Amino acid sequence: QVQLVQSGAEVKRPGASVKVSCKASGYTFTTYAISWVRQAPGQGLEWMGWINPYNGNTNYAQKLQGRVTMTTDTSTRTAYMELRSLRSDDMAVYYCARDSARDGYNLWGQGTLVTVSS
Amino acid sequence: EIVLTQSPATLSLSPGERATLSCRASQSVSVYLAWYQQKPGQAPRLLIYDASNRATGIPARFSGSGSGTDFTLTISSLEPEDFAVYYCQQRSNWPRGTFGQGTKLEIK
């Protein structure tokens, strides 16, 4: 079954870090990039960045540069997104999506809620 | 940075009616624009890519058009399951992929 399965909800203190995982199955992991998108409560979609599992190349949104790191483990077919120095405005549902350069985000994970609260 | 502006913010229509959603880019994105549908509590779903190509499994009542800076998503005859939020996304400077702010399509 072709799917992306993300890790469970997280609760973090301001200033902490969070690492969300996204495990792929049913397709060749290195054939497609993974993009990360977040959605704050009641808000729209925000592109966070992109990673190519084939060679590890990344591209991050400018506003997150220095706080975000995206990695992949091809042996376990898993992508990771780590966000550091969490603030209240980082509270959101975080999605991974399979990025086909040809046709867009044609497969999404179920989302991971990250709550930032003291 | 390319900014996408969607209009209207909210569209109130009845089942069976035709829906027309707009997405305008701050600079040309050629045809590199995608549309997504999102229902409450769910991940987005790809509807249209490259401005006018339906994604796999998307019903024919969904169509996209436009190029350059002005794009339209049309739903020819609304079904009850079509009431959702719709987002456009530019892909002209891939892998960067900014989204519009969304249009909520609600039942009148």
Side-chain angles (χ1 to χ4, degrees):
Chain A
Q1 185 178 359
V2 179
Q3 61 181 356
L4 296 172
V5 178
Q6 298 183 221
S7 49
E10 302 263 13
V11 179
K12 296 292 182 181
R13 302 285 193 202
S17 299
V18 68
K19 192 170 186 177
V20 179
S21 68
C22 169
K23 186 173 178 61
S25 60
Y27 72 94
T28 303
F29 183 58
T30 51
T31 300
Y32 297 88
I34 295 288
S35 287
W36 289 88
V37 176
R38 69 180 180 179
Q39 185 169 39
Q43 302 302 308
L45 303 172
E46 179 185 10
W47 182 80
M48 299 180 65
W50 169 99
I51 183 165
N52 183 342
Y54 179 77
N55 55 19
N57 287 350
T58 56
N59 192 306
Y60 301 138
Q62 191 165 3
K63 69 176 286 188
L64 297 175
Q65 286 273 5
R67 287 206 301 139
V68 68
T69 301
M70 296 175 187
T71 57
T72 58
D73 182 341
T74 55
S75 68
T76 61
R77 306 159 59 86
T78 303
Y80 299 92
M81 186 285 301
E82 181 180 31
L83 188 60
R84 299 176 293 279
S85 302
L86 288 169
R87 310 187 293 241
S88 58
D89 62 354
D90 291 318
M91 188 157 58
V93 175
Y94 288 74
Y95 293 102
C96 60
R98 188 177 74 173
D99 186 347
S100 166
R102 185 181 72 86
D103 63 2
Y105 301 172
N106 55 24
L107 180 68
W108 292 71
Q110 82 276 19
T112 297
L113 175 63
V114 175
T115 300
V116 182
S117 175
S118 55
Chain B
E1 180 186 330
I2 299 173
V3 176
L4 299 179
T5 302
Q6 293 186 240
S7 61
T10 303
L11 184 58
S12 299
L13 293 170
S14 300
E17 290 192 292
R18 181 184 187 91
T20 303
L21 288 67
S22 175
C23 177
R24 176 164 289 179
S26 59
Q27 64 190 75
S28 176
V29 298
S30 184
V31 295
Y32 301 118
L33 189 104
W35 290 94
Y36 298 85
Q37 175 194 67
Q38 187 180 34
K39 297 179 181 179
Q42 296 184 16
R45 177 174 71 145
L46 176 67
L47 298 176
I48 300 286
Y49 66 94
D50 288 352
S52 61
N53 295 296
R54 273 190 304 277
T56 303
I58 301 304
R61 65 181 182 273
F62 291 91
S63 63
S65 63
S67 65
T69 60
D70 291 302
F71 300 86
T72 300
L73 174 69
T74 301
I75 309 171
S76 59
S77 179
L78 285 166
E79 297 287 341
E81 62 268 27
D82 297 337
F83 292 92
V85 180
Y86 292 83
Y87 295 94
C88 58
Q89 181 199 31
Q90 68 81 21
R91 297 175 58 75
S92 70
N93 58 347
W94 182 87
R96 308 180 80 79
T98 49
F99 292 90
Q101 83 280 15
T103 289
K104 181 180 181 180
L105 178 56
E106 65 177 23
I107 300 176
K108 187 173 182 180

